Amino acid sequence: GAVVSQHPSWVICKSGTSVKIECRSLDFQATTMFWYRQFPKQSLMLMATSNEGSKATYEQGVEKDKFLINHASLTLSTLTVTSAHPEDSSFYICSAEPSRGYNEQFFGPGTRLTVL
Amino acid sequence: GQNIDQPTEMTATEGAIVQINCTYQTSGFNGLFWYQQHAGEAPTFLSYNVLDGLEEKGRFSSFLSRSKGYSYLLLKELQMKDSASYLCAVRDNQGGKLIFGQGTELSVKP
């Protein structure tokens, strides 16, 4: 099956710092990747759609200057949380849709971000 | 607008059958997915329906009625490890993004 990895799996940082999260498709190419945020006991909320070689498409209410997304290759997308604050603490999950052969998206294991 | 509804919680007994319903109203439709998610982990794919009818895969089956905006996930021969959150998601037909319901927390008891 298709495997998606995320790094780091968890991170603790001080308020005001920036954190970069990587999402990689390990055995397939993905022209499109998605970034989600999930608060405790809640469902996944789509933050943005990341397209290789072009700008990300952000969902309404998501600040694009705060959540920087770069999809530089067909196997890597990064999410940078800039000037993180405690309210940004959450579980961030990426998913990737293979360019061919599958109907579903494959999810990474998630990154637990805690901002002190 | 986009709206996907599922029950918040359900409880069932080990060995029994449980049906989790999902109703949706979305501006576009390009398939409905069911995912299982254990606490602190990423969702794992269970099923995909794009045409009306029943899709069966082992102990799990999923049904779709596009005219009614309705789907259900059927879990048979429940096991304790089936205790998890079950997420219903609709894929739109513009860009392929998934819109998730709030998830159904299933507790399987002995």
Side-chain angles (χ1 to χ4, degrees):
Chain A
V3 180
V4 176
S5 71
Q6 274 185 248
H7 178 80
S9 55
W10 60 270
V11 57
I12 300 173
C13 69
K14 292 182 179 180
S15 188
T17 60
S18 294
V19 175
K20 180 186 282 189
I21 302 170
E22 293 186 348
C23 176
R24 293 182 186 271
S25 55
L26 297 185
D27 50 4
F28 65 96
Q29 293 185 333
T31 53
T32 304
M33 292 185 175
F34 302 87
W35 287 96
Y36 298 85
R37 183 166 53 181
Q38 186 175 34
F39 292 106
K41 301 289 187 182
Q42 296 186 22
S43 191
L44 280 73
M45 295 298 296
L46 180 66
M47 299 175 67
T49 302
S50 171
N51 299 296
E52 187 268 335
S54 65
K55 291 183 179 180
T57 303
Y58 290 82
E59 294 299 301
Q60 194 171 9
V62 178
E63 300 175 58
K64 61 182 179 182
D65 294 331
K66 180 169 183 61
F67 299 99
L68 301 179
I69 292 172
N70 187 311
H71 194 154
S73 77
L74 288 172
T75 59
L76 173 65
S77 176
T78 61
L79 168 68
T80 301
V81 183
T82 62
S83 186
H85 291 284
E87 57 265 29
D88 298 323
S89 299
S90 187
F91 193 48
Y92 291 87
I93 306 176
C94 72
S95 70
E97 189 168 286
S99 303
R100 61 187 67 182
Y102 293 91
N103 287 312
E104 71 267 28
Q105 295 177 17
F106 294 90
F107 285 82
T111 297
R112 174 76 59 194
L113 170 64
T114 302
V115 185
L116 303 177
Chain B
Q2 317 277 45
N3 192 43
I4 300 177
D5 281 324
Q6 329 176 212
T8 306
E9 298 177 330
M10 296 184 73
T11 303
T13 304
E14 191 177 15
I17 299 173
V18 70
Q19 177 175 312
I20 303 174
N21 296 323
C22 172
T23 57
Y24 64 90
Q25 290 177 304
T26 56
S27 56
F29 180 85
N30 190 19
L32 187 141
F33 297 80
W34 284 95
Y35 284 87
Q36 180 193 62
Q37 187 180 28
H38 286 97
E41 299 180 9
T44 54
F45 170 78
L46 292 177
S47 69
Y48 166 69
N49 295 70
V50 68
L51 300 176
D52 291 351
L54 188 67
E55 294 283 340
E56 296 186 81
K57 189 187 293 186
R59 294 190 299 116
F60 296 81
S61 303
S62 58
F63 171 82
L64 175 67
S65 169
R66 288 171 296 169
S67 62
K68 295 182 179 178
Y70 169 68
S71 173
Y72 68 73
L73 178 70
L74 193 71
L75 293 79
K76 303 176 185 176
E77 301 170 16
L78 279 172
Q79 302 174 9
M80 299 298 290
K81 67 178 182 179
D82 296 328
S83 293
S85 183
Y86 291 84
L87 307 173
C88 171
V90 172
R91 182 166 62 188
D92 77 0
N93 50 16
Q94 294 180 357
K97 65 183 183 183
L98 291 179
I99 303 159
F100 281 86
Q102 70 268 34
T104 298
E105 191 69 37
L106 174 67
S107 297
V108 180
K109 302 196 180 300

